[in-house]
Amino acid sequence: MNLALRDVRRHIARFVGTAAGLGLLLSVVVAMQGIYAGMVDDATILTRAMRADLWLVQRDTVGPFAEASRLDPSVEARASAVPGVRRARPYNYQLIQREHRGAVLRIALVGLGWPDDPGHTLPLVRGRHLAQPHGEMIVDASLGLGLGESLVLAGEPYRVVGLTRNALTSGGDSVAFMTVGDTQLVAFDQSAEATLLERQRVVERLRRTDLGRGQPALEDLARDPRWRAPALASPPLAAVLIDADPHRIAEVQATVRRWGDVTVYTQGEEETLLLSGVVQRARMQIGLFTVILTLTAAIIVMMIMYNLTLEKTHDIAVLKLMGAPRGRLLGLVLQQAWLLGVLGYAVAYAIGELLFPMFPRRVLITTAISVIAPIATLGIVTLASVVGLSHVMRIDPASALEG
Amino acid sequence: MTDAVRAVNLSKTYGAGAAAVVALDKVDLTLPQGTVAALLGPSGSGKSTLIKALGFVSPGDTGEVFFEGRLVVKDGRPLADLAQLRRRHLGFVFQKANLTSFLTARENVEIACEFGGKTDGRRRARELLDYLEVAHREHAYPEMLSGGEQQRVAIARALANEPSLILADEPTAALDSVRSRSVMELFRKVAHDRGAAVLVVTHDHRALDVFDVLYEMEDGRIRPSAHRSV
Ligand SMILES: Nc1ncnc2c1ncn2[C@@H]1O[C@H](COP(=O)(O)OP(=O)(O)OP(=O)(O)O)[C@@H](O)[C@H]1O
Ligand SMILES: [Mg+2]
């Protein structure tokens, strides 16, 4: 006969109520961990989505996310030539803020190397990858733009052709992916006045050089409104991504490290760089909250288990008098603690399924969380029943006769 | 006829120094199987203390207690697993709040069968409740039972493991005299039908004719009762 269940049956409403309370508390603990995991995931999604083996950034910077990085475009060609490199892709990253339909949009622009990288590595939820080198973009659904909608950047419309989910920066800004060329156009957007002045400067330079004097047609070309003068000789890249032969990554890394103008990071290092800033601080805070909440839950369960045992003191004394084996009485307390834990966890699980998707920040229940949470719950309720167990041990069977 | 339980030179003192209370003073007592004995005496004379010592719940300080001829407690030290002895061979009935509150009448008996190593506890529990004429209340919790019904369930529980010794400490204190007498008669029936030794602490002098033997305690000492002749 299971004594624990018999006792619970007698006070079922109270027991379920207690389990529900514990469940709420557990759901908060799990939510904290889930929010943290969501932050980590958000923070690293940018690097992970690119699926590169190595990131080349400006020498002695921790770019391109934590700080600005400017690489000469020639790095792409140089990297391609390194033995062991399968492919080198240009990459750009920058934050912009624009008004669209009356709302302020903060967008992190990520440039993909065209035509090698039309966004195949991105987890699209709707739409398609980039199909042309200019005027298309893939944006995160959190931006609120629909498929086919156009956003005007640097005076030109960019059409949304694909949507991702959870492509956010560690600051929570939504990401838009376009070709590197387009990001450079947007980044080095010039006013008409600046273009005219630049054009004028080119014409004057042509007139001063033998080349210009010998080829008057060049001057006409420079005056053509369709011609865009570059603001810089050639716009820099934020990074160059390298896909290497799997077994030659270290070799490629060693080669590139000798170059004077770049610093090279592995995919893992780049993720760590992203995490070390914003997320590291959040980790401390959330870790602390988790510890406090876990302790609170443990203490509450401890009090509950102690009270449940305390009010059964006489019953337990009677059972002891009858010669009940010790294991049966300890089992009574332990099994109730476990039942409380299981019910509490079930409540927390249900809350998670129902409410977490409505949270403003993403709650990511990783495999680790979904494995550790129930085990930890079981551990907590087991530990918390120690006080109850020691009370059971101390009950004197003779006290049953005094009742 | 073997002795169910035998106490030799059993003493117990509560406290120490000036506050010391001698609850048992060199008690010698033998209860043969199949006898029902009453234990009388004024309040504070040591009756409950003796019940606890004979029931292997709180042993005396000095002296010996034999169970079915085997020395089980010597000078306060257990020589056997006392809890096991209780669940296999002893039955207890006491004044009130006897039963486990979260178990139904039948479950209270069933759990004792289980502890006593009896198979088919449910059937046995029903039979015992039937024997004690409370079978119709088998699904009731103790708090829903009348005092007399509770006591009969408690007796059924005390019988569950077919004990050689039943100890009852004022089992009828909460009952009217009619019910009280019927409980005492039940103990007699159990002793004579089932061959158990039964020791009942009672203050109720109207039902003493039910008992085979009467003992009287005073200041921790025991002697055959003067009421014997009644
Ligand atoms: N746990 C204890 N600590 C100290 N003294 C005790 C304890 N239990 C009993 N006593 C004392 O031992 C003596 C015998 O007590 P006991 O309970 O055996 O008496 P009793 O004959 O059962 O009395 P009653 O008829 O009132 O139940 C009393 O003087 C009592 O005060
Ligand atoms: Mg007493």
Side-chain angles (χ1 to χ4, degrees):
Chain A
M1 195 190 302
N2 188 295
L3 293 172
L5 289 179
R6 293 295 195 289
D7 183 41
V8 168
R9 179 189 61 183
R10 193 85 180 97
H11 310 109
I12 186 77
R14 198 183 52 175
F15 196 83
V16 169
T18 307
L22 176 64
L24 281 167
L25 209 56
L26 288 176
S27 73
V28 176
V29 177
V30 171
M32 303 281 282
Q33 289 300 309
I35 287 170
Y36 174 69
M39 285 172 71
V40 170
D41 197 66
D42 287 351
T44 55
I45 197 162
L46 279 181
T47 53
R48 274 183 298 114
M50 301 322 298
R51 290 200 213 139
D53 294 317
L54 296 171
W55 290 67
L56 310 190
V57 301
Q58 182 182 341
R59 180 88 191 175
D60 296 333
T61 71
V62 291
F65 305 107
E67 67 174 297
S69 156
R70 293 178 156 232
L71 274 188
D72 190 88
S74 71
V75 172
E76 183 192 344
R78 259 191 284 151
S80 300
V82 173
V85 170
R86 282 186 184 163
R87 185 166 67 127
R89 296 175 269 162
Y91 182 88
N92 239 344
Y93 174 83
Q94 86 189 90
L95 278 171
I96 60 167
Q97 180 168 323
R98 293 290 187 280
E99 285 217 1
H100 180 66
R101 288 187 307 189
V104 172
L105 297 182
R106 272 179 67 79
I107 311 173
L109 289 183
V110 169
L112 306 173
W114 180 267
D116 288 346
D117 186 7
H120 286 315
T121 55
L122 301 176
L124 290 189
V125 288
R126 283 183 63 204
R128 57 168 173 81
H129 301 120
L130 302 180
Q132 59 187 53
H134 178 56
E136 288 189 346
M137 60 181 179
I138 297 167
V139 302
D140 191 70
S142 62
L143 213 50
L145 297 178
L147 276 185
E149 198 169 336
S150 285
L151 185 64
V152 175
L153 299 170
E156 295 197 48
Y158 287 83
R159 206 157 62 85
V160 175
V161 298
L163 292 176
T164 58
R165 185 166 298 141
N166 302 325
L168 302 171
T169 67
S170 54
D173 298 316
S174 312
V175 176
F177 301 90
M178 50 178 62
T179 62
V180 166
D182 280 354
T183 59
Q184 284 165 338
L185 286 181
V186 175
F188 304 108
D189 177 24
Q190 290 176 309
S191 64
E193 182 69 14
T195 308
L196 283 177
L197 287 173
E198 181 67 23
R199 214 166 268 166
Q200 191 57 41
R201 206 157 41 237
V202 170
V203 170
E204 274 164 18
R205 213 182 301 141
L206 283 172
R207 284 180 184 158
R208 273 187 271 108
T209 58
D210 290 340
L211 179 69
R213 280 195 287 268
Q215 306 248 352
L218 278 179
E219 198 179 309
D220 294 337
L221 205 60
R223 287 188 191 284
D224 189 329
R226 282 168 304 176
W227 184 81
R228 295 180 64 119
L232 292 159
S234 51
L237 298 170
V240 167
L241 311 186
I242 287 178
D243 304 326
D245 289 330
H247 57 283
R248 298 181 73 179
I249 296 175
E251 179 190 331
V252 173
Q253 201 177 356
T255 309
V256 175
R257 200 171 275 143
R258 285 195 293 270
W259 298 354
D261 56 344
V262 306
T263 292
V264 59
Y265 296 114
T266 62
Q267 176 85 12
E269 285 166 345
E270 192 60 44
E271 279 178 26
T272 312
L273 283 178
L274 268 175
L275 289 179
S276 57
V278 188
V279 180
Q280 210 68 40
R281 245 172 295 140
R283 179 206 291 261
M284 289 277 292
Q285 198 146 7
I286 286 179
L288 211 64
F289 271 129
T290 306
V291 169
I292 292 171
L293 280 171
T294 308
L295 277 178
T296 309
I299 289 169
I300 288 176
V301 176
M302 193 178 285
M303 296 312 292
I304 291 169
M305 289 318 299
Y306 183 61
N307 275 321
L308 283 178
T309 319
L310 207 61
E311 66 185 26
K312 282 197 289 286
T313 299
H314 183 72
D315 287 319
I316 291 170
V318 170
L319 290 167
K320 276 193 164 182
L321 185 74
M322 289 163 63
R326 183 180 302 175
R328 294 292 295 270
L329 298 178
L330 297 182
L332 167 62
V333 176
L334 263 182
Q335 286 164 15
Q336 283 190 355
W338 290 335
L339 191 62
L340 202 60
V342 168
L343 285 180
Y345 186 76
V347 169
Y349 189 88
I351 290 172
E353 290 288 307
L354 288 173
L355 295 184
F356 288 178
M358 297 182 206
F359 279 29
R361 270 216 89 124
R362 188 155 69 107
V363 184
L364 177 68
I365 305 303
T366 58
T367 318
I369 293 176
S370 58
V371 168
I372 291 171
I375 293 174
T377 305
L378 220 58
I380 289 170
V381 295
T382 305
L383 274 179
S385 48
V386 164
V387 186
L389 292 174
S390 83
H391 179 68
V392 168
M393 297 296 289
R394 276 184 280 111
I395 293 174
D396 179 7
S399 67
L401 291 166
E402 265 113 60
Chain B
M1 199 181 277
T2 44
D3 297 335
V5 71
R6 187 154 67 93
V8 179
N9 216 5
L10 191 64
S11 295
K12 173 135 185 135
T13 306
Y14 289 111
V21 176
V22 180
L24 295 179
D25 191 2
K26 301 195 182 83
V27 170
D28 288 305
L29 177 70
T30 302
L31 283 179
Q33 279 174 355
T35 50
V36 54
L39 187 58
L40 306 166
S43 181
S45 57
K47 304 182 296 293
S48 296
T49 308
L50 181 59
I51 290 284
K52 286 177 208 167
L54 294 179
F56 308 111
V57 182
S58 319
D61 302 327
T62 59
E64 294 163 350
V65 183
F66 294 83
F67 185 80
E68 291 181 334
R70 187 160 61 105
L71 180 61
V72 173
V73 174
K74 184 175 168 59
D75 296 337
R77 274 182 304 107
L79 305 175
D81 180 346
L82 299 185
Q84 191 188 43
L85 196 76
R86 290 203 299 273
R87 66 177 171 263
R88 290 274 156 84
H89 305 291
L90 263 63
F92 290 92
V93 186
F94 28 105
Q95 193 168 334
K96 56 181 165 54
N98 255 313
L99 301 171
T100 304
S101 64
F102 55 83
L103 299 179
T104 63
R106 196 200 67 219
E107 288 164 354
N108 261 284
V109 183
E110 205 179 323
I111 191 84
C113 293
E114 208 178 298
F115 289 166
K118 295 281 178 257
T119 53
D120 203 5
R122 182 165 303 191
R123 189 184 51 78
R124 192 174 158 72
R126 284 219 184 87
E127 279 172 12
L128 283 166
L129 290 176
D130 202 36
Y131 177 66
L132 289 149
E133 295 168 3
V134 276
H136 60 292
R137 304 291 282 146
E138 66 169 325
H139 296 302
Y141 285 99
E143 64 183 23
M144 302 187 244
L145 296 171
S146 75
E149 285 168 339
Q150 283 189 32
Q151 245 16 13
R152 277 180 282 160
V153 173
I155 294 167
R157 188 192 58 192
L159 298 176
N161 53 354
E162 296 185 311
S164 331
L165 174 64
I166 296 173
L167 299 165
D169 194 352
E170 301 186 41
T172 60
L175 304 181
D176 61 54
S177 60
V178 176
R179 287 182 196 288
S180 168
R181 185 173 180 86
S182 77
V183 166
M184 297 305 189
E185 278 169 351
L186 208 63
F187 282 127
R188 179 186 175 85
K189 191 172 157 198
V190 167
H192 293 180
D193 289 1
R194 308 197 171 212
V198 183
L199 181 64
V200 184
V201 173
T202 181
H203 287 292
D204 186 353
H205 287 228
R206 285 166 298 185
L208 294 183
D209 55 304
V210 170
F211 295 93
D212 299 325
V213 202
L214 303 181
Y215 291 103
E216 190 144 5
M217 285 203 79
E218 187 143 25
D219 294 334
R221 280 184 293 272
I222 196 165
R223 58 181 164 80
S225 173
H227 294 282
R228 175 99 222 204
S229 51
V230 171

Short mmCIF file of all heavy atoms in Angstrom, two decimals, chain A residues 233-265:
data_model
loop_
_atom_site.label_atom_id
_atom_site.label_comp_id
_atom_site.label_asym_id
_atom_site.label_seq_id
_atom_site.Cartn_x
_atom_site.Cartn_y
_atom_site.Cartn_z
N ALA A 233 38.52 55.43 -52.70
CA ALA A 233 39.06 54.69 -53.84
C ALA A 233 38.28 53.41 -54.06
O ALA A 233 37.78 53.14 -55.13
CB ALA A 233 40.53 54.38 -53.60
N SER A 234 38.16 52.62 -53.04
CA SER A 234 37.20 51.53 -53.09
C SER A 234 36.76 51.29 -51.64
O SER A 234 37.59 51.27 -50.75
CB SER A 234 37.80 50.27 -53.70
OG SER A 234 39.01 49.98 -53.08
N PRO A 235 35.45 51.13 -51.43
CA PRO A 235 34.93 51.05 -50.06
C PRO A 235 35.49 49.84 -49.34
O PRO A 235 35.67 48.78 -49.95
CB PRO A 235 33.42 50.91 -50.25
CG PRO A 235 33.15 51.19 -51.68
CD PRO A 235 34.41 50.96 -52.44
N PRO A 236 35.78 49.97 -48.06
CA PRO A 236 36.36 48.86 -47.30
C PRO A 236 35.31 47.81 -46.95
O PRO A 236 34.11 48.06 -47.03
CB PRO A 236 36.87 49.53 -46.03
CG PRO A 236 35.94 50.69 -45.84
CD PRO A 236 35.55 51.15 -47.22
N LEU A 237 35.79 46.64 -46.55
CA LEU A 237 34.93 45.56 -46.06
C LEU A 237 35.05 45.50 -44.54
O LEU A 237 36.07 45.91 -43.97
CB LEU A 237 35.38 44.22 -46.63
CG LEU A 237 35.32 44.09 -48.15
CD1 LEU A 237 36.05 42.80 -48.57
CD2 LEU A 237 33.88 44.10 -48.62
N ALA A 238 34.02 44.98 -43.90
CA ALA A 238 34.09 44.80 -42.44
C ALA A 238 34.89 43.55 -42.12
O ALA A 238 35.62 43.49 -41.13
CB ALA A 238 32.70 44.68 -41.85
N ALA A 239 34.74 42.55 -42.96
CA ALA A 239 35.44 41.29 -42.71
C ALA A 239 35.49 40.49 -43.99
O ALA A 239 34.77 40.78 -44.94
CB ALA A 239 34.72 40.48 -41.63
N VAL A 240 36.36 39.49 -44.01
CA VAL A 240 36.35 38.52 -45.08
C VAL A 240 36.17 37.15 -44.41
O VAL A 240 36.85 36.82 -43.43
CB VAL A 240 37.66 38.57 -45.90
CG1 VAL A 240 37.77 37.34 -46.81
CG2 VAL A 240 37.72 39.84 -46.71
N LEU A 241 35.20 36.41 -44.93
CA LEU A 241 34.92 35.10 -44.35
C LEU A 241 35.59 34.03 -45.18
O LEU A 241 35.54 34.08 -46.41
CB LEU A 241 33.42 34.83 -44.32
CG LEU A 241 32.53 35.92 -43.75
CD1 LEU A 241 31.09 35.44 -43.64
CD2 LEU A 241 33.04 36.37 -42.39
N ILE A 242 36.20 33.09 -44.50
CA ILE A 242 36.91 32.03 -45.22
C ILE A 242 36.25 30.69 -44.92
O ILE A 242 35.99 30.34 -43.77
CB ILE A 242 38.40 31.98 -44.80
CG1 ILE A 242 39.13 33.18 -45.40
CG2 ILE A 242 39.04 30.67 -45.23
CD1 ILE A 242 40.58 33.25 -45.02
N ASP A 243 35.95 29.96 -46.00
CA ASP A 243 35.58 28.56 -45.85
C ASP A 243 36.80 27.76 -46.28
O ASP A 243 37.27 27.91 -47.40
CB ASP A 243 34.40 28.20 -46.76
CG ASP A 243 33.20 29.09 -46.50
OD1 ASP A 243 33.02 29.48 -45.33
OD2 ASP A 243 32.48 29.43 -47.46
N ALA A 244 37.31 26.94 -45.35
CA ALA A 244 38.55 26.22 -45.65
C ALA A 244 38.28 24.73 -45.71
O ALA A 244 37.22 24.26 -45.28
CB ALA A 244 39.59 26.52 -44.58
N ASP A 245 39.26 24.00 -46.24
CA ASP A 245 39.17 22.54 -46.15
C ASP A 245 39.19 22.18 -44.67
O ASP A 245 40.04 22.70 -43.93
CB ASP A 245 40.38 21.89 -46.86
CG ASP A 245 40.28 22.06 -48.37
OD1 ASP A 245 39.14 22.11 -48.88
OD2 ASP A 245 41.34 22.18 -49.03
N PRO A 246 38.29 21.32 -44.25
CA PRO A 246 38.13 21.06 -42.81
C PRO A 246 39.44 20.76 -42.09
O PRO A 246 39.66 21.25 -40.99
CB PRO A 246 37.19 19.85 -42.78
CG PRO A 246 36.44 19.92 -44.07
CD PRO A 246 37.37 20.55 -45.08
N HIS A 247 40.33 19.98 -42.71
CA HIS A 247 41.54 19.59 -42.00
C HIS A 247 42.67 20.61 -42.18
O HIS A 247 43.77 20.41 -41.69
CB HIS A 247 41.98 18.20 -42.48
CG HIS A 247 42.20 18.13 -43.96
ND1 HIS A 247 41.14 18.03 -44.84
CD2 HIS A 247 43.33 18.16 -44.70
CE1 HIS A 247 41.62 18.01 -46.08
NE2 HIS A 247 42.94 18.09 -46.03
N ARG A 248 42.41 21.69 -42.90
CA ARG A 248 43.50 22.65 -43.14
C ARG A 248 43.21 24.01 -42.51
O ARG A 248 43.87 25.01 -42.82
CB ARG A 248 43.73 22.80 -44.64
CG ARG A 248 44.17 21.49 -45.28
CD ARG A 248 44.43 21.62 -46.74
NE ARG A 248 45.67 22.35 -47.02
CZ ARG A 248 46.11 22.57 -48.26
NH1 ARG A 248 45.40 22.13 -49.30
NH2 ARG A 248 47.23 23.23 -48.45
N ILE A 249 42.19 24.06 -41.65
CA ILE A 249 41.81 25.34 -41.05
C ILE A 249 42.98 25.97 -40.28
O ILE A 249 43.28 27.15 -40.43
CB ILE A 249 40.59 25.16 -40.12
CG1 ILE A 249 39.37 24.71 -40.95
CG2 ILE A 249 40.27 26.45 -39.36
CD1 ILE A 249 38.15 24.37 -40.15
N ALA A 250 43.65 25.14 -39.49
CA ALA A 250 44.75 25.66 -38.67
C ALA A 250 45.87 26.19 -39.56
O ALA A 250 46.47 27.23 -39.27
CB ALA A 250 45.28 24.54 -37.76
N GLU A 251 46.11 25.48 -40.63
CA GLU A 251 47.16 25.89 -41.57
C GLU A 251 46.84 27.24 -42.20
O GLU A 251 47.68 28.15 -42.25
CB GLU A 251 47.26 24.79 -42.65
CG GLU A 251 48.27 25.04 -43.73
CD GLU A 251 48.11 24.02 -44.87
OE1 GLU A 251 47.65 22.88 -44.61
OE2 GLU A 251 48.43 24.39 -46.01
N VAL A 252 45.58 27.38 -42.64
CA VAL A 252 45.14 28.65 -43.23
C VAL A 252 45.26 29.77 -42.20
O VAL A 252 45.77 30.86 -42.48
CB VAL A 252 43.68 28.54 -43.74
CG1 VAL A 252 43.18 29.91 -44.20
CG2 VAL A 252 43.58 27.51 -44.85
N GLN A 253 44.84 29.46 -41.00
CA GLN A 253 44.87 30.44 -39.92
C GLN A 253 46.30 30.93 -39.69
O GLN A 253 46.55 32.13 -39.55
CB GLN A 253 44.34 29.78 -38.65
CG GLN A 253 43.84 30.75 -37.59
CD GLN A 253 43.27 30.03 -36.40
OE1 GLN A 253 43.17 28.79 -36.39
NE2 GLN A 253 42.88 30.77 -35.40
N ALA A 254 47.24 29.97 -39.70
CA ALA A 254 48.65 30.32 -39.47
C ALA A 254 49.16 31.22 -40.59
O ALA A 254 49.88 32.20 -40.33
CB ALA A 254 49.47 29.04 -39.38
N THR A 255 48.78 30.91 -41.80
CA THR A 255 49.22 31.72 -42.94
C THR A 255 48.71 33.16 -42.82
O THR A 255 49.47 34.12 -42.92
CB THR A 255 48.70 31.11 -44.26
OG1 THR A 255 49.04 29.73 -44.30
CG2 THR A 255 49.27 31.85 -45.46
N VAL A 256 47.41 33.26 -42.59
CA VAL A 256 46.77 34.58 -42.58
C VAL A 256 47.28 35.42 -41.42
O VAL A 256 47.38 36.64 -41.51
CB VAL A 256 45.23 34.42 -42.53
CG1 VAL A 256 44.57 35.77 -42.39
CG2 VAL A 256 44.75 33.70 -43.78
N ARG A 257 47.62 34.74 -40.33
CA ARG A 257 48.06 35.46 -39.13
C ARG A 257 49.33 36.27 -39.41
O ARG A 257 49.59 37.27 -38.75
CB ARG A 257 48.30 34.46 -38.00
CG ARG A 257 48.27 35.08 -36.64
CD ARG A 257 48.30 34.05 -35.54
NE ARG A 257 46.99 33.52 -35.23
CZ ARG A 257 46.75 32.27 -34.90
NH1 ARG A 257 47.73 31.39 -34.89
NH2 ARG A 257 45.54 31.87 -34.62
N ARG A 258 50.09 35.84 -40.39
CA ARG A 258 51.33 36.56 -40.71
C ARG A 258 51.10 37.85 -41.46
O ARG A 258 51.98 38.68 -41.59
CB ARG A 258 52.26 35.63 -41.52
CG ARG A 258 52.92 34.56 -40.65
CD ARG A 258 54.07 33.90 -41.38
NE ARG A 258 53.64 33.12 -42.53
CZ ARG A 258 53.30 31.84 -42.47
NH1 ARG A 258 53.36 31.18 -41.33
NH2 ARG A 258 52.90 31.20 -43.55
N TRP A 259 49.88 38.04 -42.00
CA TRP A 259 49.60 39.26 -42.74
C TRP A 259 49.52 40.43 -41.77
O TRP A 259 48.94 40.33 -40.71
CB TRP A 259 48.27 39.17 -43.51
CG TRP A 259 48.26 38.08 -44.55
CD1 TRP A 259 49.31 37.30 -44.92
CD2 TRP A 259 47.14 37.66 -45.33
NE1 TRP A 259 48.94 36.42 -45.90
CE2 TRP A 259 47.60 36.62 -46.17
CE3 TRP A 259 45.82 38.07 -45.41
CZ2 TRP A 259 46.78 35.98 -47.07
CZ3 TRP A 259 44.99 37.44 -46.31
CH2 TRP A 259 45.46 36.39 -47.13
N GLY A 260 50.07 41.54 -42.19
CA GLY A 260 50.14 42.69 -41.29
C GLY A 260 48.84 43.42 -41.08
O GLY A 260 48.69 44.15 -40.11
N ASP A 261 47.87 43.24 -41.99
CA ASP A 261 46.69 44.10 -41.90
C ASP A 261 45.45 43.38 -41.37
O ASP A 261 44.39 43.98 -41.31
CB ASP A 261 46.38 44.72 -43.27
CG ASP A 261 46.21 43.68 -44.36
OD1 ASP A 261 46.62 42.51 -44.11
OD2 ASP A 261 45.66 44.01 -45.42
N VAL A 262 45.54 42.10 -41.03
CA VAL A 262 44.34 41.43 -40.54
C VAL A 262 44.58 40.71 -39.22
O VAL A 262 45.72 40.38 -38.86
CB VAL A 262 43.80 40.37 -41.55
CG1 VAL A 262 43.57 40.99 -42.91
CG2 VAL A 262 44.73 39.17 -41.64
N THR A 263 43.50 40.52 -38.51
CA THR A 263 43.48 39.62 -37.36
C THR A 263 42.49 38.53 -37.72
O THR A 263 41.45 38.80 -38.33
CB THR A 263 43.04 40.36 -36.09
OG1 THR A 263 44.04 41.30 -35.74
CG2 THR A 263 42.83 39.39 -34.92
N VAL A 264 42.82 37.29 -37.36
CA VAL A 264 41.95 36.18 -37.76
C VAL A 264 41.33 35.52 -36.53
O VAL A 264 41.99 35.31 -35.52
CB VAL A 264 42.73 35.16 -38.63
CG1 VAL A 264 43.93 34.60 -37.88
CG2 VAL A 264 41.81 34.02 -39.08
N TYR A 265 40.05 35.29 -36.64
CA TYR A 265 39.32 34.60 -35.58
C TYR A 265 38.65 33.36 -36.15
O TYR A 265 38.19 33.37 -37.28
CB TYR A 265 38.23 35.48 -34.97
CG TYR A 265 38.76 36.71 -34.28
CD1 TYR A 265 38.48 37.97 -34.79
CD2 TYR A 265 39.51 36.60 -33.11
CE1 TYR A 265 38.95 39.11 -34.15
CE2 TYR A 265 39.98 37.73 -32.47
CZ TYR A 265 39.70 38.99 -33.00
OH TYR A 265 40.17 40.09 -32.36
#
